[in-house]
Amino acid sequence: MTVLEQPGSSRNKSSLAGPPPAWRPRVDPAPLLPDEEPYRILGTDAAARLDSGLLTRLYAQLVRGRRYNAQATALTRQGRLAVYPSSTGQEACEVAAALALEERDWLFPSYRDTLAAVARGLDPVQALTLLRGDWHCGYDPHEHRIAPLCTPLATQLPHAVGLAHAARLKGDEVVALAMVGDGGTSEGDFHEALNFAELWQAPVVFLVQNNGFAISVPLAKQTAAPSLAHKAVGYGMPGRLVDGNDAPAMHEVLGEAVQRARRGGGPTLVEAVTYRIEAHTNADDATRYRTDAEVETWRAHDPIALLEHELAGRGLLTDEFVATTRESAEQLAADLRERMNADPVLNPMDLFTHVFAEQTGQLRAQAAQLRAELEAEAAGHTEDTAGTAPAEEARP
Amino acid sequence: MTVLEQPGSSRNKSSLAGPPPAWRPRVDPAPLLPDEEPYRILGTDAAARLDSGLLTRLYAQLVRGRRYNAQATALTRQGRLAVYPSSTGQEACEVAAALALEERDWLFPSYRDTLAAVARGLDPVQALTLLRGDWHCGYDPHEHRIAPLCTPLATQLPHAVGLAHAARLKGDEVVALAMVGDGGTSEGDFHEALNFAELWQAPVVFLVQNNGFAISVPLAKQTAAPSLAHKAVGYGMPGRLVDGNDAPAMHEVLGEAVQRARRGGGPTLVEAVTYRIEAHTNADDATRYRTDAEVETWRAHDPIALLEHELAGRGLLTDEFVATTRESAEQLAADLRERMNADPVLNPMDLFTHVFAEQTGQLRAQAAQLRAELEAEAAGHTEDTAGTAPAEEARP
Amino acid sequence: MTTTAPATARKPATMAQALTRALRDAMAEDPAVHVMGEDVGALGGVFRITDGLAKEFGEDRCTDTALAEAGILGTAVGMAMYGLRPVVEMQFDAFAYPAFEQLVSHVARMRNRTRGAVPMPLTIRIPYGGGIGGVEHHSDSSEAYYLATPGLHVVTPATVEDAYGLLRAAIASDDPVVFLEPKRLYWSKAEWSPDTPTAVAPLGRAEIRRRGSSATLITYGPSLPACMEAAEAGRAEGWDLEVVDLRSLVPFDDETVCASVRRTGRAVVVHEAGGFGGPGGEIAARITERCFHHLEAPVLRVAGFDIPYPPPMLERHHLPGVDRILDTVARLQWESDWTEGRGA
Amino acid sequence: MTTTAPATARKPATMAQALTRALRDAMAEDPAVHVMGEDVGALGGVFRITDGLAKEFGEDRCTDTALAEAGILGTAVGMAMYGLRPVVEMQFDAFAYPAFEQLVSHVARMRNRTRGAVPMPLTIRIPYGGGIGGVEHHSDSSEAYYLATPGLHVVTPATVEDAYGLLRAAIASDDPVVFLEPKRLYWSKAEWSPDTPTAVAPLGRAEIRRRGSSATLITYGPSLPACMEAAEAGRAEGWDLEVVDLRSLVPFDDETVCASVRRTGRAVVVHEAGGFGGPGGEIAARITERCFHHLEAPVLRVAGFDIPYPPPMLERHHLPGVDRILDTVARLQWESDWTEGRGA
Ligand SMILES: Cc1ncc(C[n+]2csc(CCOP(=O)(O)OP(=O)(O)O)c2C)c(N)n1
Ligand SMILES: Cc1ncc(C[n+]2csc(CCOP(=O)(O)OP(=O)(O)O)c2C)c(N)n1
Ligand SMILES: [Mg+2]
Ligand SMILES: [Mg+2]
């Protein structure tokens, strides 16, 4: 007799063969695991097969990127940007992200990734609008297929998944590339986005720029994982680990991931190992949490220097080439400086224009109140303080 | 000349040796990965070394558990429980979770884990209070060191981590065991809890009961991972995959994980492969999303039947033993039935008692309002409808 | 609670059925409409509102997602960016909280952030409120969170007809709509014309459900039945109560509400959500701002207590019932014996 | 905005310094107090409020966490269950949203759920509000969400002295306190006695910051300076304005507020949070319920517009300033030419 021998039950045909076969989805984890060391091309034998055209193109972009970062930081000192999170040292990641995509694809940048947007073709002034403080997004995302710069960490990752999924449902061969930091991988949204992506086989590439820090918090306090790329296996997704300062390696790995996604092969998680050379933003004081010596070890692994070494070996780093490159970068900087020095033309009434498709009565009333105030203010200014307030800011 | 040759910078000592060594925390992923197949003891050679005493103890608990589940479900039909999520078929997980812990340890159950709480020694009536509907938690969590049954999925996991961490900081050798379902692993809180646990080396064991479904959603729509246990590697944590219907295997694996945690070895993620034999709750209609045939394949792998097979082989499954076991289970059921048939004594004024340590004036006023209403109601009842409303429900 | 539309082929229908029909019609009409959430596929949702949709439109149009509310809403944002019209189901009120950041920081702001370039034609269906004997976390009235979030529309039906009309309007809206479904009314029935369902109601219009002259009861969703009952019962006390069903909390229909209060001179706001910081404060304040000299008494509120939602066996003490409504109406200073300080 | 405590060894201090000192004193007094959050360690927090604490008390007492707000608050819940008193820092208002579920479904309910067996002596520090030129998501006024959540105390200092006293009281409280720190006042200065800081203030008491007789301005946190300034400026218009600093939104000090309004007969509630569904509606409604016959005019509100928080270059148009406050006071029906319908 057994306990299970009960009326209506005949369960004593117990199988000792283990759980029924359909107990879980089966994927072989081995191919999903990243290499132990970051993938590199520069400084290895593989560098030989690189196309010189690609190298010079990457180089020009990196140099422009570095100059762009310097200029943007300078603009914070002149009060022309509210804040700037520099990507100095991370230019290879930023540029490779932009170059990996075709026109029809979408980029989902974070606050640190204005350079990727600029490398994709966005006007730098538009890219910097959020950080300048005149509006939350300075461009029409549909025009360049660049989502708004995202500040709440990792929240843009599910957006990228949803967009890529929608495109796939519509039959469009569009890939989304989403950028996030090492710190951002700790957020729940990272987890949920990767899970949805693999389940939906969404054509999306997740690029984690592991720059060593989330503001002051070093990677060792962010994760105890073998690498961030190892997180991929928990979603059944391949993870790839790349030297983020090796521009051709980044270009190749992201390119492969994008192609794989486009062909219906599903998402990829790419961890780029890099370093944030500057402080978190101009407002941050990095001396509180790291040593100059540490920064120096990374300056020695600078993405531009790495590329210069390869170009020099090929005899491509001519003075002329460097000068042209530098000039183009200077032009970008000069143009940016000049245009950012002009006061933006702002209309406070815009505050009410796009809250809803159709303004509600409530907002119409509030808009009317502000307009009346502005008119009173303008009248007052004419009388006693004319000219002190930027006129365009008060234009209803 | 290079672009980096600029005043104040001397970066041309580029290293082609790869990123500086301190670029990431290094852990060898190999030992973290779970086995390919769920760990089993019953039906394998290892079964021979099992202690008969353990087997009979486990058996008695499983049988009680099965009976408890049946009784609780019956109580829903009699309107004595608002709802019951049965753990029929999952008793080996529930019981092993309880037995793995010492008295000083903490259990963090979900709504489905009343059986684990009961197996740990909690009064079943107290365990069922939430599901009966007379209060949100029927016991003092500190008394048995059982956290309140948790309904918002995965939200109890960070609690377990925090508690275990606090205990460790205080120097107490306390382990927390937290239970969650396969569906719950998709929530951001799962991700964040595991990450914190490993970073803090918190003495916590995460037990995922993969019972194949989250209400109607099968595992294949929940994850594309090789297994849920594979998620552990993304946190630098060992993952273990176990046959959740093999009680001795569950007992061993959880016991090892608890010991490891207690010794300061850090957290473990355990995936128990099992099956939800009943519908999600009594209110659910499982025929909408799965076939009887599928359920039958799992009935053939029943945890009690598996254990009976082993006991029978050892000549321990005597009629007398089975009868005693059954009797003890029947007693539990009878006691539960009887006590749950009594109307709970409720005091509506309790609604205001524990919102804050000290009642605010606002709540005092609201309590006074309710008291007045109840008095008026009671007076009314005496006049025209005396006896129809349970008197104890209206006692201020 | 019957409505006034022409009675062609009317038969009894539940609010649940009307909601299902609204989803089906919207999906049939516009291939951009996608339903997604936990258990919305084969199961048809735990309340069966999406019943049959996966079968009729395929799993790509009605999708069982993984169990992660932020992920559901976050991916829906991306889908909306690509031109779809996602209709997201949150399984219960309290289980929408994990998606709060996505809702507040993205759904509500995307249009404004992008100066209109990226609208969010999203509908977020949330079964809400108590009265169904649900255990902890299954009975929250979370509307206060949503109406304090600029950029969201917040809508809630109280009748079968409105369930259809408002849900169609929500899905048709180019802005995000938090569509709050009163759980306790899912099985409420009314004569309704499922063959020619009422044309889509515009969002933002309140409806007078009962005309009266003594005072105005202002309510929405789950509390409408109690208000209607109270209005009937009030006749015995000599009160002729008007009942306004807001239907939409955002946009708010000041016009209808204030016109009514100016007529009656007295008002009580009734809702199940906690009183402190709940919708009633806003409603009472804006009425007072607009109708001060028409008020014979302060606008009073009947609301849930300021406590975590009670367990099932005690919930009836929390919910605004007929007696509590009438007790409050009685405090509207009909006589001269009013003493201040008795306010809730 | 100086206070009335005895002036022993007073020197200028900022609100930020007073907060730091409160944390340090609390940690020194009670080993159960643990500070945790993003960047609170070596960096001392992005606003430097936790400056020096990790060094003084060790990283186990002042802990840099991983970047996950739900995880931070969720683990703090578990720590509180084990008898600690976690003080959690959320880096900015909008970055507390990921922790919303933990806050609403657990922090606010644990004591009630367990009939007092598991209290939640948690303090959740949230820098909030605008006026500092922050880009998107760095300037939200999120108090409406918290005060609509039963089980939470919601406190916000407006002065240096209160920053210390209220934070000490919050940490000492056996209940969870959402401690809202007005970012724009972090660097505000006052004469203060850091050597013998004022004894802990009890939570739930408002403070009259300026006596007056014509009307009462009711405010809290970031808007107190504008109200004080407006009260001064109001003298030119012949108004003698009283200013009440609520300090605590939950518990709410009806007594002080109502006594003031009964005296002055007029009231304006001023806050930076959006008006619709914001704290002002609740405050206006409860004043009206309690003081109806003392009111010469409806309680009016000056609040942020019902829009997503503006970009830095436009924020001054959104924030309640002196002019807007005085314009609103002027609408308190001082003359007979009042026309209804002009309400905000
Ligand atoms: C949800 C959320 N929490 C906190 C912040 C505040 N914050 C801004 S940047 C940052 C660090 C991010 O680090 P990481 O993800 O590594 O990106 P990085 O800045 O290094 O590019 C933090 C905590 C935020 N933006 N969003
Ligand atoms: C945050 C949250 N979302 C949704 C729900 C509703 N819900 C209750 S149980 C359940 C399925 C859970 O599945 P799983 O985690 O596998 O546990 P099981 O029920 O199988 O034990 C869902 C979706 C919830 N309780 N919490
Ligand atoms: Mg980083
Ligand atoms: Mg399950």
Side-chain angles (χ1 to χ4, degrees), chain C residues 253-269:
Chain C
D253 186 351
D254 286 308
E255 218 172 298
T256 303
V257 170
C258 289
S260 170
V261 176
R262 289 201 186 104
R263 233 184 306 109
T264 62
R266 289 179 170 81
V268 175
V269 187

Side-chain angles (χ1 to χ4, degrees), chain D residues 162-215:
Chain D
D162 269 6
Y164 182 89
L166 291 173
L167 183 51
R168 290 300 306 271
I171 297 172
S173 168
D174 285 334
D175 284 314
V177 179
V178 174
F179 191 85
L180 298 167
E181 302 177 359
K183 283 195 247 8
R184 59 202 289 199
L185 300 185
Y186 271 146
W187 307 281
S188 68
K189 276 196 178 160
E191 299 288 312
W192 183 57
S193 314
D195 300 327
T196 51
T198 316
V200 167
L203 296 179
R205 297 259 188 85
E207 186 81 29
I208 297 179
R209 296 290 176 196
R210 187 185 193 282
R211 293 259 162 203
S213 56
S214 332

Side-chain angles (χ1 to χ4, degrees), chain A residues 294-305:
Chain A
E294 180 183 311
V295 181
E296 283 313 312
T297 63
W298 280 91
R299 283 196 199 276
H301 193 65
D302 185 278
I304 296 183

Side-chain angles (χ1 to χ4, degrees), chain B residues 111-112 151 153 181-184 187 211 213-214 280, chain C residues 69 91 95:
Chain B
Y111 51 88
R112 195 175 299 288
T151 301
L153 291 160
D182 46 312
E187 292 279 6
N211 64 2
F213 289 90
H280 173 65
Chain C
E69 292 78 7
Q91 201 159 79
F95 307 143

Side-chain angles (χ1 to χ4, degrees), chain A residues 8 10-11 13-15 18-23, chain B residues 66 86 88-90 211-213 215 245 274-280 284-303:
Chain A
S10 59
R11 299 177 206 157
K13 33 180 164 132
S14 113
S15 143
W23 64 273
Chain B
R66 176 72 45 96
S86 169
T88 298
Q90 304 176 220
N211 64 2
F213 289 90
I215 308 185
N245 289 9
T274 180
Y275 195 79
R276 199 193 70 207
I277 293 289
E278 308 279 350
H280 173 65
D284 180 37
D285 174 7
T287 64
R288 284 185 167 243
Y289 53 82
R290 69 183 188 188
T291 61
D292 283 351
E294 180 183 311
V295 181
E296 283 314 312
T297 63
W298 281 91
R299 284 197 200 275
H301 193 65
D302 185 277

Side-chain angles (χ1 to χ4, degrees), chain C residues 73-88:
Chain C
L73 191 55
T75 52
V77 166
M79 290 163 73
M81 288 177 79
Y82 206 80
L84 300 186
R85 292 187 169 268
V87 181
V88 163

